[in-house]
Amino acid sequence: MTRIDVPIARTYAGAASAAGPLIFVHSTKRAKLGEWVYIETEGQEDRRGQVIDVGTEVTVIQIFEDTLGLKPATSKITLTGETATTIAGRDLLGRALSGTGAPLDGLPPPIGEARLPIWGAPINPVRRHHPSDFIETGVSAIDGMNTVVRGQKLPVFSGPGLPGVELAADIVENARPTRGEPFAVVFAAIGITERETQSFVSRFRESEVMERTVLFLNQAADPTIERLLTPRVALTTAEHLAFTHGVHVLVVMADITHYAEALREVAAAREEIPGRRGYPGYMYTDLAGLFERAGVLKDSPGSVTQLPVVTLPDDDITHPIPDLTGYITEGQIVLSRELHQRAIYPPVDVLPSLSRLMNAGIGEDHTVGEHREWADQLYAIYARGREAKLMAAIVGREGLTPGDRRALDFIDEFEKSFIHQGRSRRGLEDTIRIGWSLLETLPRDELTRISDESWEARRRSASGKEGS
Amino acid sequence: MTKARITRIAGAIAEAQPLGDAALYELVEVGERGLLGEVIRLRGDVATIQVFEETSGLALEEPVRRTGSSLMTQLGPGLLGSILDGVGRPLQGLAGQSGNFLAAGMTMPTLDPKARWSFSPTAKPGMVVRGGDVLGVIEERPDMMHRILVPPGIEGRLEDIRGGELTISDSIGALEDGTALSLSHTWPIRERRPMARRLPGDRPFITGQRVFDLLFPVVEGGSVAVPGGFGTGKTVIEQSLAKYAKADVMVYIGCGERGNEMAEVLHDFSRLTDPLTGRPIMDRTILIVNTSNMPVAARDASVYLGMTIAEYYRDMGYHVAILADSLSRWAEALREIAARLQEMPGEEGYPTYLANRMSRLYERAGRVESEGEPSRTGAVTFITAISPPGGDFAEPVTQAALRVVGALWALDPRLAHQRQFPAVDWDTSYSLYAETTTEWFGKEGGEDWPKLRTETIRLLQRDRELREIAGLVGVEALEDSDRLVLEGARIAREFLIGQNAFHPHDAFSSVFKTYHLARLLWALMSTGTAALGEGVAFDKLDLAAVRVAFGAVKTASPETLEQRIADAGQRISEMRGE
């Protein structure tokens, strides 16, 4: 079988029509799906596009830049014969780049080590290593209750005005590589505001964190359709660092909601049959194409861990974007407006939050032996307390059983001293200790999740410390 | 004849021309890399093809070749323990070709062509054989006899048959009319395999999960829908069943789900042993893996592939369970393809034939008498996770499933938030198999099993009513007898129907353990009621000790179980104090 892979560029004069971010070109020769396209219009900067539908009669090209002022009839359209690629390499570390990899920091473009297709191939499931290495984020609500492991994809479900990006920034700043292994951060800003970008970027610019960070910035004012490329460019860079250089890479993508809106815009321009709330029916598959690029490989030292930020429109967790995200990712960290209003930071609501890979990353070999029981117990009492709070609103505190009253007192203490930690980093040991001290305010027979072994061990170590 | 060439590509769909003589669902090779595809529409001489591999980079005018058959799978020894992609290629083999990442256009046979199997014929030359007759056996895995059957549709006098160390393509003999026989044959995955007749299901499929075995049982050959929003534990249930439930063969289909989850399955399954036989789990398991970022059309194929393999082992006389996670992703693949074809959408954009396709799929499950001699009965049990958007069951996939399945295990996010696992909502779940399995459970579990089942359900129902009242007036305002119900139901939720999938002795519950926990609960309620009747105050009952004792039974190892049950019985009889 011969393969005709040598890219041959072909130029066409004029497109037949244009609609939103799309142009339609007639009678292209051997157009390829996913082919990269340049569009020249006189007196304007070149635009870039990609073939998304090829046909003998009409080929559809999606344009990444703004189409304002585009004159389809007189444009020169060049099909490059190549699919979209990006430069990847260690020299990208410390750089601030546009959503498609052009320098934004006044320095020359990175030279890189490889030019890689941005669409990425799926990892062969049998080559995946089961993620089980604990990542310490310095956040009690995460490390203690919803532990993250390397290779996981764990989104932050934020709401409009809630500090989702800030929490992601804290994690980036505080996450510690265990055993001094190489560690890097790739940040993909997807349509977030200048203010949000600054709150993220300015924290790192001057610090040593920047040396191990690559920034890809597509901001709110940047072209919408470029948002479909930004996370893929970022992930391609991350995969290269992880699987070629053995670096543990944390990829922060903010905000997936903007990405999904760009997807919807293209789908609408193609006059596709809309799915829920106008989002295309293939959004699950499309999002999976991003999120599934997290992972750890067998016989390879690096890893790609993802921390996407999703803004829940109207705080609605059943909205298609968080809903489909939740079906793909391995859990979610949910922020609560109520906690935020009470100045609890980070305002993580532990009840709907979940880390599906937690079990593999905790316990004797990773964190502490009693971690599971301890977390289950805190969770159980907190859940009981929250239920009691609802009930107390109706029947009053006096109508509650003594156990429910204790649980009710517990939730205040838990939120104030465990969840709330401000901007400071809290090590796992402190997290576990604070949790225990909260549990110890309750009678032993209410701590049904704590086994006798763990209880005795705790007693011994606590009295040992007092004695010494 | 002019060669067919690509005239259009959009997503997973390609069109090619001229292909007017192709058949619907014929397998074709698309483009210079020979990507696998399937003809799904013919209009004039234009064929519409769904491509099972990534189409990015495919160009207009590339050639399309017919293969003359529909998507087939190889069936024969060596399927057990294998890990296949949606179209039946072994993923280990693909890793050997393309490394850590999957590339498009690779070919790899499902069965290892070099493996040798020790075949012992049982049929004799001169016998007249027909489809389904047993020709001989191979010990595919220790204690797992793989019966080599005459492929369906073949009939004739056996001229010659021989045993020995053979590969799957070696001849094992022939019929007088010259039909060659071997250890393997191929079968089109979208067609159901023939059977002599369907049989009613009457044996329960022992899941090892108390909430199912006791409250919502399923028969061997039954079908179940397991809908639940994200985080409600669908995957943990599917995995627990795959690990511990009682079946001869397990087919696990990871359809459009997470790669890391599949890595976990592969990691866990390769280390676990079957609690009943002591053999490695993988010895009885076939994994079909098509993660969410693998091509969407192959997701459609993966479910049919799993079903075909299950029917193949069923025909040998085995009980096979299929665990599909998740059927919603399969339905979404249909929707995605239908949208690309610009078909008129039905509800929520799903194609109008969704319900029809689903019922045909579910109807391939069942208990059957196989074709051929000696007579055998086998069953395919079909347990399907469903991922309703927003956790709302009023959506087409859940609703279409409910029209055909025999049991609903509805998962509830509120229970999941309370860490009540399995998060099965006992109010909405149901099983149409409860009646038919009563006899078996009465005999094997204990004769009062049906009574315990009804009592447990009644207790849980009463609990829900009371909690609504308690929400208004406060628990302290309830009568003592009602507070006993609340406490009993709490114990039921925590220790009887709650189960920890990660605890070594709780992940699987034997029928014996399930029975005794239910029985202890009943003893607790009757002893408590009697005590209250004699004027003992509720607050005086020592329920803390009883709770601890229930916990000890729940997590007891098989060696200590009987002692723990006796201890708990003791605690219950002493709970009214002196």
Side-chain angles (χ1 to χ4, degrees), chain A residues 349-378:
Chain A
D349 186 350
V350 296
L351 292 191
S353 298
L354 170 74
S355 165
R356 292 168 187 268
L357 301 182
M358 176 170 179
N359 282 335
I362 60 173
E364 195 106 42
D365 301 335
H366 307 278
T367 55
V368 291
E370 76 271 21
H371 198 146
R372 182 77 263 168
E373 296 171 14
W374 170 97
D376 282 349
Q377 189 62 70
L378 285 171

PDB file of all heavy atoms in Angstrom, chain A residues 349-378:
ATOM      1  N   ASP A 349     -17.779  22.615  48.701  1.00  0.00           N
ATOM      2  CA  ASP A 349     -18.867  21.848  49.310  1.00  0.00           C
ATOM      3  C   ASP A 349     -18.496  20.383  49.187  1.00  0.00           C
ATOM      4  O   ASP A 349     -18.509  19.820  48.095  1.00  0.00           O
ATOM      5  CB  ASP A 349     -20.180  22.142  48.576  1.00  0.00           C
ATOM      6  CG  ASP A 349     -21.370  21.489  49.272  1.00  0.00           C
ATOM      7  OD1 ASP A 349     -21.130  20.665  50.194  1.00  0.00           O
ATOM      8  OD2 ASP A 349     -22.517  21.783  48.904  1.00  0.00           O
ATOM      9  N   VAL A 350     -18.164  19.756  50.303  1.00  0.00           N
ATOM     10  CA  VAL A 350     -17.655  18.385  50.217  1.00  0.00           C
ATOM     11  C   VAL A 350     -18.748  17.362  49.908  1.00  0.00           C
ATOM     12  O   VAL A 350     -18.445  16.261  49.470  1.00  0.00           O
ATOM     13  CB  VAL A 350     -16.879  17.942  51.485  1.00  0.00           C
ATOM     14  CG1 VAL A 350     -15.635  18.776  51.657  1.00  0.00           C
ATOM     15  CG2 VAL A 350     -17.744  17.978  52.709  1.00  0.00           C
ATOM     16  N   LEU A 351     -20.017  17.714  50.104  1.00  0.00           N
ATOM     17  CA  LEU A 351     -21.053  16.693  49.875  1.00  0.00           C
ATOM     18  C   LEU A 351     -21.160  16.291  48.404  1.00  0.00           C
ATOM     19  O   LEU A 351     -21.077  15.115  48.099  1.00  0.00           O
ATOM     20  CB  LEU A 351     -22.413  17.139  50.420  1.00  0.00           C
ATOM     21  CG  LEU A 351     -22.513  17.245  51.946  1.00  0.00           C
ATOM     22  CD1 LEU A 351     -23.958  17.415  52.359  1.00  0.00           C
ATOM     23  CD2 LEU A 351     -21.917  16.042  52.647  1.00  0.00           C
ATOM     24  N   PRO A 352     -21.340  17.228  47.471  1.00  0.00           N
ATOM     25  CA  PRO A 352     -21.386  16.792  46.068  1.00  0.00           C
ATOM     26  C   PRO A 352     -20.003  16.584  45.458  1.00  0.00           C
ATOM     27  O   PRO A 352     -19.902  16.086  44.350  1.00  0.00           O
ATOM     28  CB  PRO A 352     -22.115  17.948  45.361  1.00  0.00           C
ATOM     29  CG  PRO A 352     -21.828  19.142  46.189  1.00  0.00           C
ATOM     30  CD  PRO A 352     -21.657  18.660  47.595  1.00  0.00           C
ATOM     31  N   SER A 353     -18.941  16.956  46.152  1.00  0.00           N
ATOM     32  CA  SER A 353     -17.601  16.765  45.596  1.00  0.00           C
ATOM     33  C   SER A 353     -17.206  15.303  45.711  1.00  0.00           C
ATOM     34  O   SER A 353     -17.678  14.583  46.583  1.00  0.00           O
ATOM     35  CB  SER A 353     -16.575  17.628  46.341  1.00  0.00           C
ATOM     36  OG  SER A 353     -16.895  18.985  46.176  1.00  0.00           O
ATOM     37  N   LEU A 354     -16.338  14.906  44.829  1.00  0.00           N
ATOM     38  CA  LEU A 354     -15.974  13.484  44.777  1.00  0.00           C
ATOM     39  C   LEU A 354     -14.684  13.326  44.001  1.00  0.00           C
ATOM     40  O   LEU A 354     -14.474  14.000  42.994  1.00  0.00           O
ATOM     41  CB  LEU A 354     -17.102  12.717  44.052  1.00  0.00           C
ATOM     42  CG  LEU A 354     -16.861  11.264  43.652  1.00  0.00           C
ATOM     43  CD1 LEU A 354     -16.910  10.377  44.875  1.00  0.00           C
ATOM     44  CD2 LEU A 354     -17.913  10.805  42.639  1.00  0.00           C
ATOM     45  N   SER A 355     -13.812  12.463  44.494  1.00  0.00           N
ATOM     46  CA  SER A 355     -12.668  12.059  43.685  1.00  0.00           C
ATOM     47  C   SER A 355     -12.754  10.554  43.509  1.00  0.00           C
ATOM     48  O   SER A 355     -12.640   9.797  44.467  1.00  0.00           O
ATOM     49  CB  SER A 355     -11.357  12.417  44.371  1.00  0.00           C
ATOM     50  OG  SER A 355     -10.303  11.717  43.753  1.00  0.00           O
ATOM     51  N   ARG A 356     -12.993  10.132  42.273  1.00  0.00           N
ATOM     52  CA  ARG A 356     -13.188   8.711  42.023  1.00  0.00           C
ATOM     53  C   ARG A 356     -11.933   7.888  42.176  1.00  0.00           C
ATOM     54  O   ARG A 356     -11.999   6.672  42.301  1.00  0.00           O
ATOM     55  CB  ARG A 356     -13.675   8.493  40.596  1.00  0.00           C
ATOM     56  CG  ARG A 356     -15.043   9.012  40.347  1.00  0.00           C
ATOM     57  CD  ARG A 356     -15.302   9.020  38.860  1.00  0.00           C
ATOM     58  NE  ARG A 356     -16.563   9.669  38.618  1.00  0.00           N
ATOM     59  CZ  ARG A 356     -17.722   9.027  38.540  1.00  0.00           C
ATOM     60  NH1 ARG A 356     -17.744   7.736  38.646  1.00  0.00           N
ATOM     61  NH2 ARG A 356     -18.837   9.684  38.347  1.00  0.00           N
ATOM     62  N   LEU A 357     -10.789   8.546  42.067  1.00  0.00           N
ATOM     63  CA  LEU A 357      -9.556   7.773  42.123  1.00  0.00           C
ATOM     64  C   LEU A 357      -8.917   7.852  43.506  1.00  0.00           C
ATOM     65  O   LEU A 357      -7.816   7.396  43.715  1.00  0.00           O
ATOM     66  CB  LEU A 357      -8.577   8.265  41.049  1.00  0.00           C
ATOM     67  CG  LEU A 357      -9.109   8.168  39.620  1.00  0.00           C
ATOM     68  CD1 LEU A 357      -8.058   8.635  38.619  1.00  0.00           C
ATOM     69  CD2 LEU A 357      -9.522   6.746  39.292  1.00  0.00           C
ATOM     70  N   MET A 358      -9.664   8.449  44.449  1.00  0.00           N
ATOM     71  CA  MET A 358      -9.117   8.655  45.784  1.00  0.00           C
ATOM     72  C   MET A 358      -8.618   7.359  46.420  1.00  0.00           C
ATOM     73  O   MET A 358      -7.515   7.312  46.949  1.00  0.00           O
ATOM     74  CB  MET A 358     -10.195   9.290  46.656  1.00  0.00           C
ATOM     75  CG  MET A 358      -9.803   9.474  48.099  1.00  0.00           C
ATOM     76  SD  MET A 358     -11.047  10.494  48.924  1.00  0.00           S
ATOM     77  CE  MET A 358     -10.394  10.534  50.588  1.00  0.00           C
ATOM     78  N   ASN A 359      -9.433   6.317  46.336  1.00  0.00           N
ATOM     79  CA  ASN A 359      -9.084   5.087  47.046  1.00  0.00           C
ATOM     80  C   ASN A 359      -7.712   4.548  46.685  1.00  0.00           C
ATOM     81  O   ASN A 359      -7.009   3.994  47.513  1.00  0.00           O
ATOM     82  CB  ASN A 359     -10.130   4.004  46.783  1.00  0.00           C
ATOM     83  CG  ASN A 359     -11.365   4.241  47.617  1.00  0.00           C
ATOM     84  OD1 ASN A 359     -11.288   4.874  48.661  1.00  0.00           O
ATOM     85  ND2 ASN A 359     -12.498   3.754  47.140  1.00  0.00           N
ATOM     86  N   ALA A 360      -7.359   4.720  45.406  1.00  0.00           N
ATOM     87  CA  ALA A 360      -6.079   4.175  44.957  1.00  0.00           C
ATOM     88  C   ALA A 360      -4.917   5.008  45.474  1.00  0.00           C
ATOM     89  O   ALA A 360      -3.790   4.534  45.540  1.00  0.00           O
ATOM     90  CB  ALA A 360      -6.050   4.119  43.438  1.00  0.00           C
ATOM     91  N   GLY A 361      -5.198   6.270  45.837  1.00  0.00           N
ATOM     92  CA  GLY A 361      -4.105   7.169  46.187  1.00  0.00           C
ATOM     93  C   GLY A 361      -3.934   7.400  47.679  1.00  0.00           C
ATOM     94  O   GLY A 361      -3.104   8.208  48.081  1.00  0.00           O
ATOM     95  N   ILE A 362      -4.758   6.730  48.510  1.00  0.00           N
ATOM     96  CA  ILE A 362      -4.644   6.975  49.945  1.00  0.00           C
ATOM     97  C   ILE A 362      -4.338   5.677  50.673  1.00  0.00           C
ATOM     98  O   ILE A 362      -4.266   4.614  50.071  1.00  0.00           O
ATOM     99  CB  ILE A 362      -5.939   7.604  50.522  1.00  0.00           C
ATOM    100  CG1 ILE A 362      -7.126   6.663  50.302  1.00  0.00           C
ATOM    101  CG2 ILE A 362      -6.182   8.966  49.913  1.00  0.00           C
ATOM    102  CD1 ILE A 362      -8.407   7.118  50.991  1.00  0.00           C
ATOM    103  N   GLY A 363      -4.176   5.796  51.977  1.00  0.00           N
ATOM    104  CA  GLY A 363      -3.885   4.615  52.791  1.00  0.00           C
ATOM    105  C   GLY A 363      -2.412   4.563  53.150  1.00  0.00           C
ATOM    106  O   GLY A 363      -1.631   5.445  52.798  1.00  0.00           O
ATOM    107  N   GLU A 364      -2.096   3.518  53.856  1.00  0.00           N
ATOM    108  CA  GLU A 364      -0.750   3.308  54.407  1.00  0.00           C
ATOM    109  C   GLU A 364       0.379   3.687  53.443  1.00  0.00           C
ATOM    110  O   GLU A 364       1.299   4.408  53.800  1.00  0.00           O
ATOM    111  CB  GLU A 364      -0.614   1.832  54.777  1.00  0.00           C
ATOM    112  CG  GLU A 364       0.547   1.516  55.666  1.00  0.00           C
ATOM    113  CD  GLU A 364       0.069   1.225  57.091  1.00  0.00           C
ATOM    114  OE1 GLU A 364      -0.944   0.528  57.261  1.00  0.00           O
ATOM    115  OE2 GLU A 364       0.723   1.717  58.013  1.00  0.00           O
ATOM    116  N   ASP A 365       0.291   3.192  52.207  1.00  0.00           N
ATOM    117  CA  ASP A 365       1.407   3.361  51.269  1.00  0.00           C
ATOM    118  C   ASP A 365       1.483   4.778  50.702  1.00  0.00           C
ATOM    119  O   ASP A 365       2.493   5.147  50.118  1.00  0.00           O
ATOM    120  CB  ASP A 365       1.266   2.392  50.094  1.00  0.00           C
ATOM    121  CG  ASP A 365       1.229   0.954  50.559  1.00  0.00           C
ATOM    122  OD1 ASP A 365       1.769   0.696  51.652  1.00  0.00           O
ATOM    123  OD2 ASP A 365       0.661   0.105  49.849  1.00  0.00           O
ATOM    124  N   HIS A 366       0.416   5.531  50.800  1.00  0.00           N
ATOM    125  CA  HIS A 366       0.401   6.828  50.133  1.00  0.00           C
ATOM    126  C   HIS A 366       0.254   7.986  51.109  1.00  0.00           C
ATOM    127  O   HIS A 366       0.991   8.947  51.059  1.00  0.00           O
ATOM    128  CB  HIS A 366      -0.747   6.879  49.119  1.00  0.00           C
ATOM    129  CG  HIS A 366      -0.733   5.736  48.157  1.00  0.00           C
ATOM    130  ND1 HIS A 366       0.061   5.733  47.037  1.00  0.00           N
ATOM    131  CD2 HIS A 366      -1.400   4.563  48.143  1.00  0.00           C
ATOM    132  CE1 HIS A 366      -0.130   4.604  46.371  1.00  0.00           C
ATOM    133  NE2 HIS A 366      -1.008   3.877  47.019  1.00  0.00           N
ATOM    134  N   THR A 367      -0.762   7.899  51.987  1.00  0.00           N
ATOM    135  CA  THR A 367      -1.008   9.003  52.912  1.00  0.00           C
ATOM    136  C   THR A 367      -0.938   8.466  54.346  1.00  0.00           C
ATOM    137  O   THR A 367       0.139   8.268  54.863  1.00  0.00           O
ATOM    138  CB  THR A 367      -2.368   9.666  52.627  1.00  0.00           C
ATOM    139  OG1 THR A 367      -3.403   8.679  52.663  1.00  0.00           O
ATOM    140  CG2 THR A 367      -2.379  10.337  51.269  1.00  0.00           C
ATOM    141  N   VAL A 368      -2.081   8.220  54.948  1.00  0.00           N
ATOM    142  CA  VAL A 368      -2.078   7.593  56.274  1.00  0.00           C
ATOM    143  C   VAL A 368      -3.034   6.410  56.251  1.00  0.00           C
ATOM    144  O   VAL A 368      -4.000   6.395  55.487  1.00  0.00           O
ATOM    145  CB  VAL A 368      -2.510   8.579  57.401  1.00  0.00           C
ATOM    146  CG1 VAL A 368      -1.445   9.646  57.612  1.00  0.00           C
ATOM    147  CG2 VAL A 368      -3.857   9.198  57.093  1.00  0.00           C
ATOM    148  N   GLY A 369      -2.752   5.430  57.098  1.00  0.00           N
ATOM    149  CA  GLY A 369      -3.499   4.175  57.082  1.00  0.00           C
ATOM    150  C   GLY A 369      -4.995   4.350  57.236  1.00  0.00           C
ATOM    151  O   GLY A 369      -5.784   3.712  56.555  1.00  0.00           O
ATOM    152  N   GLU A 370      -5.405   5.269  58.135  1.00  0.00           N
ATOM    153  CA  GLU A 370      -6.833   5.370  58.455  1.00  0.00           C
ATOM    154  C   GLU A 370      -7.552   6.366  57.542  1.00  0.00           C
ATOM    155  O   GLU A 370      -8.704   6.698  57.787  1.00  0.00           O
ATOM    156  CB  GLU A 370      -7.015   5.776  59.925  1.00  0.00           C
ATOM    157  CG  GLU A 370      -6.756   7.250  60.253  1.00  0.00           C
ATOM    158  CD  GLU A 370      -5.302   7.571  60.605  1.00  0.00           C
ATOM    159  OE1 GLU A 370      -4.417   6.774  60.226  1.00  0.00           O
ATOM    160  OE2 GLU A 370      -5.049   8.595  61.249  1.00  0.00           O
ATOM    161  N   HIS A 371      -6.900   6.849  56.479  1.00  0.00           N
ATOM    162  CA  HIS A 371      -7.437   7.939  55.676  1.00  0.00           C
ATOM    163  C   HIS A 371      -8.896   7.708  55.242  1.00  0.00           C
ATOM    164  O   HIS A 371      -9.744   8.582  55.375  1.00  0.00           O
ATOM    165  CB  HIS A 371      -6.549   8.153  54.450  1.00  0.00           C
ATOM    166  CG  HIS A 371      -6.749   9.480  53.783  1.00  0.00           C
ATOM    167  ND1 HIS A 371      -5.737  10.172  53.170  1.00  0.00           N
ATOM    168  CD2 HIS A 371      -7.849  10.250  53.625  1.00  0.00           C
ATOM    169  CE1 HIS A 371      -6.203  11.299  52.682  1.00  0.00           C
ATOM    170  NE2 HIS A 371      -7.489  11.371  52.937  1.00  0.00           N
ATOM    171  N   ARG A 372      -9.182   6.500  54.718  1.00  0.00           N
ATOM    172  CA  ARG A 372     -10.532   6.217  54.217  1.00  0.00           C
ATOM    173  C   ARG A 372     -11.580   6.354  55.322  1.00  0.00           C
ATOM    174  O   ARG A 372     -12.581   7.032  55.176  1.00  0.00           O
ATOM    175  CB  ARG A 372     -10.542   4.806  53.616  1.00  0.00           C
ATOM    176  CG  ARG A 372     -11.842   4.372  53.000  1.00  0.00           C
ATOM    177  CD  ARG A 372     -12.086   4.986  51.643  1.00  0.00           C
ATOM    178  NE  ARG A 372     -12.944   6.161  51.712  1.00  0.00           N
ATOM    179  CZ  ARG A 372     -13.117   7.014  50.701  1.00  0.00           C
ATOM    180  NH1 ARG A 372     -12.477   6.845  49.562  1.00  0.00           N
ATOM    181  NH2 ARG A 372     -13.910   8.048  50.830  1.00  0.00           N
ATOM    182  N   GLU A 373     -11.347   5.685  56.442  1.00  0.00           N
ATOM    183  CA  GLU A 373     -12.308   5.711  57.561  1.00  0.00           C
ATOM    184  C   GLU A 373     -12.496   7.139  58.063  1.00  0.00           C
ATOM    185  O   GLU A 373     -13.603   7.586  58.320  1.00  0.00           O
ATOM    186  CB  GLU A 373     -11.778   4.886  58.740  1.00  0.00           C
ATOM    187  CG  GLU A 373     -11.624   3.421  58.451  1.00  0.00           C
ATOM    188  CD  GLU A 373     -10.893   2.724  59.598  1.00  0.00           C
ATOM    189  OE1 GLU A 373     -10.756   3.317  60.690  1.00  0.00           O
ATOM    190  OE2 GLU A 373     -10.472   1.582  59.393  1.00  0.00           O
ATOM    191  N   TRP A 374     -11.373   7.803  58.198  1.00  0.00           N
ATOM    192  CA  TRP A 374     -11.356   9.167  58.714  1.00  0.00           C
ATOM    193  C   TRP A 374     -12.195  10.082  57.826  1.00  0.00           C
ATOM    194  O   TRP A 374     -13.045  10.829  58.286  1.00  0.00           O
ATOM    195  CB  TRP A 374      -9.888   9.582  58.788  1.00  0.00           C
ATOM    196  CG  TRP A 374      -9.558  11.008  59.065  1.00  0.00           C
ATOM    197  CD1 TRP A 374      -9.245  11.551  60.276  1.00  0.00           C
ATOM    198  CD2 TRP A 374      -9.444  12.063  58.099  1.00  0.00           C
ATOM    199  NE1 TRP A 374      -8.946  12.877  60.118  1.00  0.00           N
ATOM    200  CE2 TRP A 374      -9.057  13.224  58.806  1.00  0.00           C
ATOM    201  CE3 TRP A 374      -9.619  12.151  56.724  1.00  0.00           C
ATOM    202  CZ2 TRP A 374      -8.848  14.447  58.184  1.00  0.00           C
ATOM    203  CZ3 TRP A 374      -9.425  13.363  56.094  1.00  0.00           C
ATOM    204  CH2 TRP A 374      -9.037  14.496  56.823  1.00  0.00           C
ATOM    205  N   ALA A 375     -11.973   9.980  56.499  1.00  0.00           N
ATOM    206  CA  ALA A 375     -12.710  10.827  55.562  1.00  0.00           C
ATOM    207  C   ALA A 375     -14.190  10.442  55.548  1.00  0.00           C
ATOM    208  O   ALA A 375     -15.065  11.311  55.544  1.00  0.00           O
ATOM    209  CB  ALA A 375     -12.108  10.707  54.158  1.00  0.00           C
ATOM    210  N   ASP A 376     -14.475   9.150  55.552  1.00  0.00           N
ATOM    211  CA  ASP A 376     -15.877   8.700  55.556  1.00  0.00           C
ATOM    212  C   ASP A 376     -16.600   9.212  56.792  1.00  0.00           C
ATOM    213  O   ASP A 376     -17.759   9.608  56.733  1.00  0.00           O
ATOM    214  CB  ASP A 376     -15.949   7.167  55.558  1.00  0.00           C
ATOM    215  CG  ASP A 376     -15.678   6.593  54.186  1.00  0.00           C
ATOM    216  OD1 ASP A 376     -15.638   7.378  53.216  1.00  0.00           O
ATOM    217  OD2 ASP A 376     -15.497   5.369  54.081  1.00  0.00           O
ATOM    218  N   GLN A 377     -15.896   9.175  57.923  1.00  0.00           N
ATOM    219  CA  GLN A 377     -16.511   9.605  59.175  1.00  0.00           C
ATOM    220  C   GLN A 377     -16.813  11.107  59.166  1.00  0.00           C
ATOM    221  O   GLN A 377     -17.903  11.524  59.514  1.00  0.00           O
ATOM    222  CB  GLN A 377     -15.592   9.252  60.345  1.00  0.00           C
ATOM    223  CG  GLN A 377     -16.259   9.480  61.668  1.00  0.00           C
ATOM    224  CD  GLN A 377     -17.479   8.599  61.848  1.00  0.00           C
ATOM    225  OE1 GLN A 377     -17.361   7.382  61.998  1.00  0.00           O
ATOM    226  NE2 GLN A 377     -18.672   9.184  61.805  1.00  0.00           N
ATOM    227  N   LEU A 378     -15.834  11.895  58.724  1.00  0.00           N
ATOM    228  CA  LEU A 378     -16.068  13.342  58.646  1.00  0.00           C
ATOM    229  C   LEU A 378     -17.238  13.619  57.711  1.00  0.00           C
ATOM    230  O   LEU A 378     -18.119  14.418  58.010  1.00  0.00           O
ATOM    231  CB  LEU A 378     -14.819  14.043  58.116  1.00  0.00           C
ATOM    232  CG  LEU A 378     -13.640  14.190  59.084  1.00  0.00           C
ATOM    233  CD1 LEU A 378     -12.412  14.691  58.340  1.00  0.00           C
ATOM    234  CD2 LEU A 378     -13.983  15.142  60.224  1.00  0.00           C
TER     235      LEU A 378
END
